[in-house]
């Protein structure tokens, strides 16, 4: 029987779900195409029909995450507001998603703690990594640019650098949360970390109120 586009897409999604689960359970290097296929009653050849190798699967999972979740964060960047709390709210919202959505938790745990990064792998999936980073970075930059234009942060502040520092801070706290090394409440740690960065760049005498 001829397969429809809907059937093909369902199979592709089943493969991604199987890979995500096994990556989460065993890690990237210990996961094989045979295991991915067996879990969903496919042949290894069927998996190869959709994905040439494991980096292709990881890239697809990253793209799926960006499409399904990062877009929702844009609601926290309002054109008629100009406060740093938007960035904190955005990060806390992401915390809420990973705590309540199993699929998101598994993906972020895997990509943060179970992915064995090498230069070769990074080079293969760099476009997907960069695409995802651009979405988040763009939201940070948008808020910081507004704060700078309204003279709430110093004129000498490098917006791109601060956005990268904020993203790295969140990533570090996320890893600490997953690996049980964070002894404080995750949300509170994010708020405190972001606030410390903001306090270091805000214009003297400016508080967090509009």
């Amino acid at each position: 029987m001829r397969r429809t586009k809907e059937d093909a897409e369902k199979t592709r999604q089943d493969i991604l779900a199987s890979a995500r689960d096994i990556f989460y359970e065993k890690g990237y290097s210990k996961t094989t195409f045979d295991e991915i296929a067996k879990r969903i009653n496919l042949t290894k050849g069927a998996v190869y029909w959709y994905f040439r190798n494991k980096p292709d699967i990881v890239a697809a999972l990253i793209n799926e995450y960006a499409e399904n979740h990062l877009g929702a964060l844009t609601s926290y960047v309002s054109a008629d507001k100009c406060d740093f709390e938007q960035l904190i709210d955005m990060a806390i919202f992401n915390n809420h998603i990973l705590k309540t959505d199993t699929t998101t938790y598994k993906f972020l745990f895997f990509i943060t703690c179970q992915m064995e990064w090498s230069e070769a792998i990074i080079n293969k999936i760099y476009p997907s990594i960069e695409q995802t980073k651009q979405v988040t970075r763009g939201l940070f930059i948008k808020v910081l640019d507004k704060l700078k234009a309204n003279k709430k942060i110093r004129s000498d502040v490098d917006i791109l650098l601060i956005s990268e520092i904020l993203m790295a801070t969140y990533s570090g706290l996320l890893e600490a949360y997953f690996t049980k090394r964070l002894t404080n409440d995750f949300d509170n740690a994010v708020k405190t970390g972001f606030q410390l960065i903001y306090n270091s760049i805000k214009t003297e005498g400016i508080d967090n109120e509009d």
Side-chain angles (χ1 to χ4, degrees), residues 132-186:
T132 304
K133 284 182 63 178
Q134 286 288 7
V135 175
T136 308
R137 185 190 295 118
L139 295 174
F140 279 102
I141 289 174
K142 185 175 181 180
V143 172
L144 292 170
D145 276 340
K146 288 192 295 182
L147 289 169
K148 195 171 188 178
N150 287 4
K151 299 182 179 180
K152 292 192 172 185
I153 60 177
R154 302 193 315 273
S155 60
D156 64 320
V157 169
D158 185 329
I159 297 299
L160 180 57
L161 175 61
I162 295 301
S163 69
E164 294 280 1
I165 291 173
L166 287 166
M167 291 167 61
T169 298
Y170 183 81
S171 295
L173 290 171
L174 180 63
E175 182 180 5
Y177 169 74
F178 280 139
T179 56
K180 313 298 183 185
R181 292 183 292 109
L182 187 63
T183 57
N184 208 309
D185 175 74
F186 187 25

Side-chain angles (χ1 to χ4, degrees), residues 46-59:
V47 177
Y48 276 116
W49 177 263
Y50 289 88
F51 300 100
R52 295 171 300 174
N53 48 48
K54 287 196 291 184
D56 281 354
I57 295 178
V58 174

Side-chain angles (χ1 to χ4, degrees), residues 72-132:
L73 298 181
T74 60
S75 63
Y76 285 85
V77 180
S78 172
D80 59 357
K81 290 185 67 178
C82 181
D83 62 60
F84 193 77
E85 288 295 322
Q86 292 177 87
L87 297 184
I88 295 176
D89 289 344
M90 188 168 64
I92 298 305
F93 174 68
N94 200 61
N95 290 359
H96 172 74
I97 292 175
L98 76 90
K99 290 175 182 177
T100 57
D101 183 82
T102 302
T103 297
T104 300
Y105 184 94
K106 288 181 177 180
F107 168 76
L108 289 176
F109 182 90
F110 149 64
I111 212 72
T112 302
C113 303
Q114 294 278 64
M115 183 67 195
E116 294 88 347
W117 294 105
S118 68
E119 186 173 358
I121 293 173
I122 290 173
N123 288 338
K124 284 184 179 180
I125 63 176
Y126 178 78
S128 294
I129 296 173
E130 185 60 22
Q131 179 183 354
T132 304

